[in-house]
Amino acid sequence: MAGGPEFVIVAGSSGAGRSTAANALEDVGWFVIDNLPPHLIGDVADMVARPGARLRRVALVAGTREYREDLVTAITQLRERNASVRVVYLDAPTDVLVRRYDDTRRRHPLHTGDQPAAVLAGQPSSAEPVAESVVDAIELERQLLADVRETADVVIDTGALNVHELRDRVRDEFGAPGDEPQMRTAVMSFGYKHGVPTEADLVFDCRFLPNPHWVPELRPYTGLHPGVRDWVLGQPATSTFLEHLMPLLQALLPSYRAEGKSYLTIALGCTGGRHRSVAIAEQVTHLLAGQGHDLHCRHRDIAR
């Protein structure tokens, strides 16, 4: 189907980075469905092939519990539809996978541990393949996945890759020309008397600036009022503050984005969150918007 939907099937050893790969695909515009049973792949293909369907790039992440189903058959049937299908298989050396499980303290899906498989909630029944050690579970999973690996278009050994390097590799392989990961940046004002926002990544204190609260004709208004805004922005201390703050933010935002951060919150606070911080947050948003960032501005305490 020329010009039709594209599919990526993400498979591989548990702990090798399937979740990181899925997040990277989502960052560059793929619609990601995680832990999809193979027998439902055809249903997804039917859905996206319907007239008027808006999905063009779909990534399907196969979870370990579904490997016992015939994933290879599902992939073959999808390719027989003349769909664009690529399979990426992730793996890592056994010692690396063991270390990752030790670090995260999570149980391998095929590892029964010290208890019979049948009594472990969510684990395979005793009639299904299980292993009594993490190493055995990793090797058993590789056996179950041998045919899937054979059909893979891309095999990535993640043993020597950190999450950032794996994310970049997936983006390079499956991103369309011009795709770049997007980071949503929120600029917010707040009042220290109401508490520092817990979601803030960067916090800047504006309480050193002259306070329009003490100007009787400005006190009833907020930092959104032109009179208050012009008064705050007209202060020499404000000009000095912005002259130092803006180059810092312009340097930090691309670095946060390069590290794969999806959301960044910049918080600017004054005493009550109604005057100085509101005016500064609006100005920072205006200046950053001119740099092509994906921004929105909100004022947490402006109505208090």
Side-chain angles (χ1 to χ4, degrees), residues 13-16 91-103 134-136 138-139 142 157-160:
S13 297
S14 300
D91 201 358
T94 299
D95 62 315
V96 173
L97 296 176
V98 171
R99 185 170 65 250
R100 290 175 182 173
Y101 272 99
D102 286 342
D103 290 343
V134 175
V135 172
D136 289 343
I138 291 169
E139 295 303 326
R142 284 206 181 98
D157 183 342
T158 69

Side-chain angles (χ1 to χ4, degrees), residues 184-196:
R184 180 71 165 161
T185 302
V187 180
M188 68 179 299
S189 66
F190 72 95
Y192 275 94
K193 65 189 293 185
H194 306 297
V196 177

